[in-house]
Coordinates of all heavy atoms in Angstrom, one line a residue:
M1064 N 94.5 102.7 76.2 CA 93.6 102.2 77.3 C 92.2 101.8 76.8 O 91.3 101.9 77.5 CB 93.5 103.2 78.4 CG 94.7 103.2 79.3 SD 94.1 103.9 80.9 CE 95.6 104.3 81.6
T1065 N 92.1 101.5 75.6 CA 90.8 101.2 75.0 C 90.1 100.0 75.7 O 88.9 99.9 75.8 CB 90.8 101.0 73.5 OG1 91.7 99.9 73.2 CG2 91.2 102.3 72.8
G1066 N 90.9 99.1 76.2 CA 90.4 97.9 76.9 C 89.8 98.2 78.3 O 89.2 97.3 78.9
L1067 N 90.0 99.4 78.8 CA 89.6 99.7 80.1 C 88.4 100.7 80.1 O 88.0 101.2 81.1 CB 90.7 100.4 80.9 CG 91.9 99.5 81.1 CD1 93.0 100.3 81.8 CD2 91.6 98.3 81.8
T1068 N 87.7 100.8 78.9 CA 86.6 101.8 78.9 C 85.5 101.5 79.8 O 84.9 102.4 80.4 CB 86.1 101.9 77.4 OG1 85.7 100.6 77.0 CG2 87.1 102.5 76.5
H1069 N 85.2 100.2 80.0 CA 84.1 99.8 81.0 C 84.5 100.2 82.4 O 83.7 100.7 83.2 CB 83.8 98.4 80.9 CG 82.6 97.9 81.6 ND1 81.3 98.3 81.3 CD2 82.5 97.2 82.7 CE1 80.5 97.8 82.2 NE2 81.2 97.1 83.1
L1070 N 85.8 99.9 82.8 CA 86.3 100.2 84.1 C 86.3 101.7 84.4 O 86.0 102.1 85.5 CB 87.7 99.6 84.2 CG 88.4 99.9 85.6 CD1 87.7 99.1 86.7 CD2 89.9 99.4 85.5
L1071 N 86.5 102.5 83.4 CA 86.6 103.9 83.6 C 85.3 104.6 83.3 O 85.2 105.9 83.4 CB 87.7 104.5 82.7 CG 89.1 104.0 83.0 CD1 90.1 104.5 82.0 CD2 89.5 104.3 84.4
S1072 N 84.2 103.9 83.0 CA 82.9 104.5 82.8 C 82.2 104.7 84.2 O 82.6 104.2 85.2 CB 82.1 103.6 81.9 OG 81.8 102.4 82.5
L1073 N 81.1 105.5 84.1 CA 80.3 105.7 85.3 C 79.9 104.4 86.0 O 79.6 103.4 85.3 CB 79.1 106.5 85.0 CG 79.2 108.0 84.7 CD1 77.9 108.6 84.3 CD2 79.9 108.7 85.8
G1074 N 79.9 104.4 87.3 CA 79.5 103.2 88.1 C 78.4 103.6 89.0 O 78.2 104.8 89.3
R1075 N 77.6 102.6 89.5 CA 76.5 102.8 90.4 C 76.5 101.8 91.5 O 76.8 100.6 91.2 CB 75.2 102.7 89.7 CG 74.7 103.9 89.0 CD 73.2 103.9 88.7 NE 72.8 105.1 88.1 CZ 72.7 106.3 88.7 NH1 72.9 106.4 90.0 NH2 72.2 107.3 88.0
I1076 N 76.2 102.2 92.7 CA 76.0 101.3 93.8 C 74.7 101.9 94.4 O 74.6 102.9 95.0 CB 77.1 101.4 94.9 CG1 78.4 100.9 94.3 CG2 76.7 100.5 96.1 CD1 79.6 101.0 95.2
G1077 N 73.6 101.2 94.0 CA 72.2 101.7 94.4 C 72.0 103.0 93.8 O 72.2 103.2 92.5
S1078 N 71.7 104.1 94.5 CA 71.5 105.4 94.0 C 72.8 106.2 93.9 O 72.8 107.3 93.4 CB 70.4 106.1 94.8 OG 70.9 106.3 96.1
L1079 N 73.9 105.7 94.4 CA 75.1 106.4 94.4 C 75.8 106.3 93.1 O 76.0 105.2 92.6 CB 76.1 105.8 95.5 CG 77.5 106.4 95.6 CD1 77.4 107.9 96.0 CD2 78.3 105.6 96.6
E1080 N 76.1 107.4 92.4 CA 76.8 107.4 91.2 C 78.2 107.7 91.4 O 78.6 108.7 92.0 CB 76.1 108.4 90.2 CG 76.7 108.4 88.8 CD 76.0 109.3 87.8 OE1 74.9 108.9 87.4 OE2 76.5 110.3 87.6
L1081 N 79.1 106.9 90.8 CA 80.6 107.1 90.9 C 81.1 107.5 89.5 O 80.6 107.0 88.5 CB 81.2 105.8 91.4 CG 80.8 105.3 92.7 CD1 81.3 103.9 93.0 CD2 81.1 106.2 93.8
K1082 N 82.2 108.3 89.5 CA 82.7 108.8 88.3 C 83.4 107.7 87.5 O 83.6 107.8 86.3 CB 83.7 110.0 88.5 CG 85.0 109.6 89.3 CD 85.9 110.8 89.4 CE 87.1 110.4 90.1 NZ 88.0 111.6 90.2
N1083 N 83.8 106.6 88.1 CA 84.4 105.4 87.5 C 84.1 104.2 88.4 O 83.4 104.3 89.4 CB 85.8 105.7 87.1 CG 86.7 106.0 88.3 OD1 86.6 105.3 89.4 ND2 87.5 107.0 88.2
R1084 N 84.7 103.1 88.0 CA 84.5 101.9 88.8 C 85.7 101.5 89.6 O 85.9 100.3 90.0 CB 84.0 100.8 87.8 CG 82.7 101.1 87.2 CD 82.5 100.3 86.0 NE 81.3 100.7 85.3 CZ 80.2 100.1 85.1 NH1 80.1 98.9 85.6 NH2 79.2 100.6 84.5
L1085 N 86.6 102.4 89.8 CA 87.8 102.2 90.6 C 87.5 102.3 92.1 O 86.9 103.3 92.5 CB 88.9 103.2 90.2 CG 89.4 103.1 88.8 CD1 90.4 104.2 88.5 CD2 89.9 101.7 88.5
L1086 N 87.8 101.3 92.9 CA 87.4 101.2 94.3 C 88.6 100.7 95.0 O 89.3 99.7 94.6 CB 86.2 100.3 94.5 CG 85.9 100.0 95.9 CD1 84.5 100.6 96.2 CD2 85.9 98.5 96.1
Q1087 N 89.0 101.3 96.2 CA 90.0 100.8 97.0 C 89.3 100.2 98.3 O 88.6 100.9 99.0 CB 91.0 101.9 97.5 CG 92.0 101.4 98.4 CD 93.0 102.4 98.9 OE1 93.7 103.0 98.2 NE2 92.9 102.6 100.2
T1088 N 89.6 98.9 98.5 CA 89.0 98.3 99.7 C 89.7 98.7 100.9 O 90.9 99.2 100.9 CB 89.0 96.8 99.5 OG1 90.4 96.3 99.4 CG2 88.2 96.3 98.3
A1089 N 89.2 98.4 102.1 CA 89.8 98.7 103.4 C 91.1 97.9 103.5 O 91.2 96.7 103.1 CB 88.9 98.3 104.5
M1090 N 92.1 98.5 104.0 CA 93.4 97.8 104.3 C 94.1 98.5 105.4 O 93.9 99.7 105.7 CB 94.2 97.8 103.0 CG 94.5 99.2 102.5 SD 95.3 99.1 100.9 CE 96.8 100.0 101.2
G1091 N 94.9 97.8 106.1 CA 95.7 98.4 107.2 C 96.9 99.1 106.6 O 97.6 98.6 105.8
T1092 N 97.1 100.4 107.0 CA 98.2 101.1 106.5 C 99.3 101.4 107.6 O 100.4 101.8 107.3 CB 97.8 102.5 106.0 OG1 97.1 103.2 107.1 CG2 96.8 102.3 104.8
N1093 N 98.9 101.2 108.9 CA 99.7 101.5 110.0 C 100.1 103.0 110.0 O 101.2 103.3 110.5 CB 101.0 100.6 110.0 CG 100.6 99.2 110.3 OD1 99.7 98.9 111.2 ND2 101.3 98.3 109.7
L1094 N 99.3 103.9 109.6 CA 99.6 105.3 109.5 C 98.8 106.1 110.6 O 99.1 107.3 110.7 CB 99.2 105.9 108.1 CG 100.0 105.3 107.0 CD1 99.5 105.9 105.7 CD2 101.5 105.6 107.1
A1095 N 98.0 105.5 111.4 CA 97.3 106.2 112.5 C 98.2 106.4 113.6 O 99.3 105.8 113.8 CB 96.1 105.4 112.9
H1096 N 97.8 107.4 114.5 CA 98.6 107.6 115.7 C 98.4 106.4 116.6 O 97.5 105.6 116.5 CB 98.1 108.8 116.4 CG 98.4 110.1 115.7 ND1 97.5 111.1 115.5 CD2 99.5 110.5 115.1 CE1 98.0 112.1 114.8 NE2 99.2 111.8 114.6
E1097 N 99.3 106.2 117.6 CA 99.2 105.1 118.5 C 97.9 105.0 119.3 O 97.4 103.9 119.6 CB 100.4 105.1 119.5 CG 100.5 103.8 120.2 CD 101.9 103.7 121.0 OE1 102.9 104.2 120.5 OE2 101.8 103.3 122.2
D1098 N 97.3 106.2 119.5 CA 96.0 106.2 120.2 C 94.8 105.9 119.3 O 93.6 105.9 119.7 CB 95.8 107.5 121.0 CG 95.6 108.7 120.0 OD1 95.7 108.5 118.8 OD2 95.4 109.8 120.6
G1099 N 95.0 105.6 118.0 CA 94.0 105.3 117.0 C 93.4 106.5 116.2 O 92.6 106.3 115.3
T1100 N 93.9 107.7 116.6 CA 93.4 108.8 115.8 C 94.1 108.9 114.5 O 95.2 108.4 114.3 CB 93.6 110.1 116.6 OG1 94.9 110.3 117.0 CG2 92.7 110.1 117.9
I1101 N 93.5 109.6 113.5 CA 94.1 109.7 112.2 C 95.2 110.7 112.2 O 95.3 111.7 112.9 CB 93.0 110.2 111.2 CG1 93.5 109.9 109.8 CG2 92.5 111.6 111.4 CD1 92.4 109.9 108.7
S1102 N 96.3 110.4 111.4 CA 97.5 111.2 111.3 C 97.5 112.0 110.0 O 96.7 111.7 109.1 CB 98.7 110.3 111.4 OG 98.8 109.5 110.2
D1103 N 98.3 113.0 109.9 CA 98.5 113.7 108.7 C 99.0 112.8 107.6 O 98.6 112.9 106.4 CB 99.5 114.8 108.8 CG 99.0 116.0 109.7 OD1 97.7 116.1 109.9 OD2 99.8 116.7 110.3
E1104 N 99.8 111.8 107.9 CA 100.3 110.8 106.9 C 99.1 110.0 106.3 O 99.0 109.7 105.1 CB 101.3 109.9 107.5 CG 102.6 110.6 107.9 CD 102.6 111.3 109.2 OE1 101.7 111.1 110.0 OE2 103.6 112.0 109.4
A1105 N 98.2 109.6 107.2 CA 97.0 108.9 106.8 C 96.1 109.7 105.9 O 95.6 109.2 104.8 CB 96.2 108.3 107.9
V1106 N 95.9 111.0 106.2 CA 95.1 111.9 105.4 C 95.8 112.0 104.0 O 95.2 111.9 103.0 CB 95.0 113.3 106.1 CG1 94.4 114.3 105.1 CG2 94.2 113.1 107.3
G1107 N 97.1 112.2 104.0 CA 97.9 112.3 102.7 C 97.8 111.0 101.9 O 97.7 111.1 100.7
F1108 N 97.7 109.9 102.5 CA 97.6 108.6 101.8 C 96.3 108.5 101.1 O 96.2 108.2 99.9 CB 97.6 107.4 102.9 CG 97.4 106.1 102.3 CD1 98.4 105.3 101.8 CD2 96.1 105.5 102.4 CE1 98.2 104.1 101.2 CE2 95.8 104.3 101.9 CZ 96.9 103.5 101.3
Y1109 N 95.2 108.9 101.7 CA 93.9 108.9 101.1 C 93.7 110.0 100.1 O 93.1 109.9 99.0 CB 92.7 108.9 102.1 CG 92.7 107.6 102.8 CD1 93.1 107.5 104.1 CD2 92.2 106.4 102.2 CE1 93.0 106.3 104.8 CE2 92.2 105.2 102.8 CZ 92.6 105.1 104.1 OH 92.6 103.9 104.8
E1110 N 94.3 111.2 100.3 CA 94.3 112.3 99.4 C 95.0 111.9 98.1 O 94.5 112.2 97.0 CB 95.0 113.5 100.0 CG 94.1 114.3 101.0 CD 94.9 115.5 101.6 OE1 96.1 115.5 101.5 OE2 94.2 116.4 102.1
A1111 N 96.1 111.2 98.2 CA 96.8 110.8 97.0 C 96.0 109.9 96.1 O 96.0 110.0 94.9 CB 98.1 110.2 97.4
R1112 N 95.3 108.9 96.7 CA 94.5 108.0 96.0 C 93.3 108.7 95.3 O 92.9 108.4 94.2 CB 94.0 106.8 96.9 CG 95.0 105.8 96.8 CD 95.6 105.5 98.2 NE 96.8 104.7 98.1 CZ 98.0 105.2 98.2 NH1 98.2 106.5 98.5 NH2 99.1 104.5 98.1
A1113 N 92.7 109.6 96.0 CA 91.6 110.4 95.5 C 92.1 111.3 94.3 O 91.4 111.3 93.3 CB 90.9 111.3 96.5
A1114 N 93.2 111.9 94.5 CA 93.8 112.7 93.4 C 94.1 111.9 92.2 O 94.1 112.4 91.0 CB 95.0 113.5 93.9
G1115 N 94.5 110.6 92.4 CA 94.8 109.7 91.3 C 93.6 109.2 90.5 O 93.7 108.6 89.5
G1116 N 92.4 109.5 91.0 CA 91.2 109.2 90.3 C 90.3 108.1 90.8 O 89.3 107.7 90.2
T1117 N 90.7 107.5 92.0 CA 89.9 106.4 92.5 C 88.5 107.0 93.0 O 88.5 108.0 93.7 CB 90.6 105.8 93.8 OG1 91.9 105.4 93.3 CG2 89.8 104.6 94.3
A1118 N 87.4 106.4 92.5 CA 86.1 107.0 92.7 C 85.6 106.7 94.2 O 84.9 107.5 94.7 CB 85.1 106.4 91.7
M1119 N 86.0 105.6 94.8 CA 85.5 105.3 96.1 C 86.7 104.7 97.0 O 87.4 103.8 96.5 CB 84.4 104.3 96.1 CG 83.9 103.9 97.5 SD 82.6 102.7 97.5 CE 81.2 103.8 97.4
L1120 N 86.9 105.3 98.1 CA 87.9 104.8 99.1 C 87.2 104.3 100.3 O 86.5 105.0 101.0 CB 88.8 105.9 99.4 CG 89.6 106.6 98.3 CD1 90.3 107.9 98.7 CD2 90.6 105.6 97.7
I1121 N 87.4 103.0 100.7 CA 86.9 102.5 101.9 C 88.0 102.6 102.9 O 89.1 102.1 102.7 CB 86.4 101.0 101.7 CG1 85.3 101.0 100.6 CG2 85.9 100.5 103.0 CD1 84.9 99.7 100.2
M1122 N 87.7 103.3 104.0 CA 88.8 103.6 105.0 C 89.3 102.3 105.6 O 88.6 101.3 105.7 CB 88.2 104.5 106.1 CG 87.7 105.8 105.6 SD 88.9 106.8 104.7 CE 89.9 107.4 106.0
G1123 N 90.5 102.3 106.0 CA 91.2 101.2 106.6 C 90.8 100.7 107.9 O 89.8 101.2 108.5
T1124 N 91.5 99.8 108.5 CA 91.2 99.2 109.8 C 91.8 100.0 110.9 O 92.7 100.7 110.8 CB 91.8 97.8 109.8 OG1 93.2 97.8 109.6 CG2 91.2 96.9 108.7
L1125 N 91.3 99.7 112.1 CA 91.8 100.3 113.3 C 91.5 99.4 114.5 O 90.5 98.6 114.4 CB 91.3 101.7 113.6 CG 89.9 101.9 113.9 CD1 89.7 102.1 115.4 CD2 89.3 103.0 113.2
G1126 N 92.3 99.4 115.5 CA 92.0 98.7 116.7 C 91.2 99.5 117.7 O 91.6 100.6 118.0
V1127 N 90.0 99.0 118.1 CA 89.2 99.8 119.0 C 89.5 99.6 120.5 O 89.0 100.3 121.3 CB 87.7 99.4 118.8 CG1 87.2 99.8 117.4 CG2 87.4 97.9 119.0
A1128 N 90.3 98.6 120.8 CA 90.7 98.4 122.2 C 92.3 98.3 122.3 O 92.8 97.5 123.0 CB 90.0 97.2 122.7
N1129 N 93.0 99.1 121.5 CA 94.4 99.0 121.5 C 95.0 99.3 122.8 O 94.6 100.2 123.5 CB 95.0 100.0 120.5 CG 96.4 99.9 120.2 OD1 96.9 98.8 120.1 ND2 97.1 101.0 120.0
P1130 N 95.9 98.5 123.3 CA 96.6 97.4 122.7 C 96.0 96.0 123.0 O 96.5 95.0 122.7 CB 98.0 97.4 123.3 CG 97.8 97.9 124.7 CD 96.6 98.9 124.6
L1131 N 94.8 96.0 123.6 CA 94.2 94.7 124.0 C 93.4 94.1 122.9 O 93.2 92.8 122.9 CB 93.2 94.9 125.2 CG 93.9 95.6 126.4 CD1 92.9 95.9 127.5 CD2 95.0 94.7 126.9
G1132 N 92.8 94.8 121.9 CA 91.9 94.3 120.9 C 92.5 93.9 119.6 O 93.6 94.2 119.3

């Protein structure tokens, strides 16, 4: 993995220091409860990505006026 040394080096966003430059953007997972609250499956989804070494996880989407919005 010598070609990835820059990607795996410390990253910065303003004053925030990250252990690497791996970032997961927001995405819909369809793992929340029907009422929009977080489920154990959703928690496990993010825990797995953090355990895998992703430095920053941006939480996914949700409907604020489900089922109307």
Side-chain angles (χ1 to χ4, degrees):
M1064 283 202 195
T1065 58
L1067 301 177
T1068 56
H1069 187 68
L1070 180 64
L1071 299 176
S1072 66
L1073 288 177
R1075 275 199 179 288
I1076 300 174
S1078 62
L1079 176 65
E1080 184 174 284
L1081 302 170
K1082 67 179 182 177
N1083 58 49
R1084 296 162 190 246
L1085 299 175
L1086 172 114
Q1087 177 183 299
T1088 61
M1090 56 189 241
T1092 61
N1093 292 321
L1094 295 176
H1096 292 134
E1097 193 169 317
D1098 67 359
T1100 58
I1101 194 161
S1102 67
D1103 290 339
E1104 292 82 10
V1106 171
F1108 174 85
Y1109 290 106
E1110 283 178 338
R1112 273 120 196 104
T1117 305
M1119 177 180 274
L1120 300 167
I1121 300 172
M1122 302 301 285
T1124 60
L1125 67 102
V1127 295
N1129 189 37
L1131 305 174

